[in-house]
Amino acid sequence: MQKKQPKTPKKVKKTIGTILIVEDESSLVMALSEKFKHERFKVLTASNGKMGLKLALKNKPDLILLDILMPIMDGMTMLKKLRKDPWVNNVFVFILTNREPGIDLTDESERIPYRSAYLMKSSFDISEIVKMAKGKIKPH
């Protein structure tokens, strides 16, 4: 009778970091999530700012991808509420939008005490976002 060989543990690749995607377009969320997971990020998702705020404060992600126009709570309102927690000063936020940053968005971004960048949804490449994200967070 042969002895069973002990199972060799699978090598678990360390995650690079945690990304929170706050976006109400499900196809975009799915595409971003799959790409970030493939690149070894832990991915959290929310379809509105209220859910995103709860997830951000509970999980303290390394980076946030945040849509501006969403139901229930928009992205700028979420940012204002996030500002109340000092942890957010170390988080980079990519603000996703389909409109050119106007004076209202530009003024708001100048008051955001943490790092942020605007990305036009219609003209970005998901691979570029992942590359930018990798450059903004330190591996765990």
Side-chain angles (χ1 to χ4, degrees):
M1 191 184 290
Q2 286 185 332
K3 289 184 179 179
K4 286 187 177 180
Q5 294 293 324
K7 290 184 180 180
T8 54
K10 291 182 181 179
K11 288 187 178 180
V12 178
K13 293 180 182 178
K14 287 188 175 186
T15 60
I16 291 174
T18 301
I19 303 288
L20 171 59
I21 302 169
V22 186
E23 167 64 59
D24 62 335
E25 270 183 60
S26 59
S27 59
L28 181 55
V29 171
M30 191 180 315
L32 287 166
S33 294
E34 289 304 312
K35 185 66 174 172
F36 275 107
K37 286 176 185 176
H38 179 73
E39 295 292 329
R40 298 186 357 245
F41 285 88
K42 178 180 177 184
V43 178
L44 306 170
T45 63
S47 59
N48 63 65
K50 185 176 179 180
M51 286 174 48
L53 181 64
K54 284 182 183 178
L55 280 173
L57 294 174
K58 179 181 178 185
N59 296 283
K60 303 203 182 323
D62 300 296
L63 188 135
I64 299 172
L65 297 177
L66 179 62
D67 186 15
I68 296 294
L69 300 174
M70 294 179 291
I72 303 174
M73 182 188 293
D74 64 81
M76 284 306 189
T77 302
M78 180 183 155
L79 285 173
K80 288 175 187 175
K81 292 180 183 273
L82 270 177
R83 269 188 247 166
K84 296 175 183 173
D85 191 307
W87 150 82
V88 84
N89 292 324
N90 299 316
V91 176
F92 201 92
V93 178
F94 288 128
I95 298 171
L96 305 175
T97 183
N98 272 326
R99 62 182 196 181
E100 291 290 335
I103 291 173
D104 58 332
L105 291 178
T106 304
D107 287 349
E108 184 62 34
S109 70
E110 289 173 3
R111 291 192 297 269
I112 298 170
Y114 46 87
R115 302 167 307 262
S116 63
Y118 285 97
L119 300 174
M120 294 295 295
K121 288 184 192 181
S122 59
S123 63
F124 71 73
D125 177 82
I126 291 175
S127 295
E128 280 300 309
I129 291 179
V130 171
K131 184 177 175 181
M132 289 167 54
K134 284 181 175 180
K136 299 296 180 193
I137 62 176
K138 296 174 185 167
H140 289 181

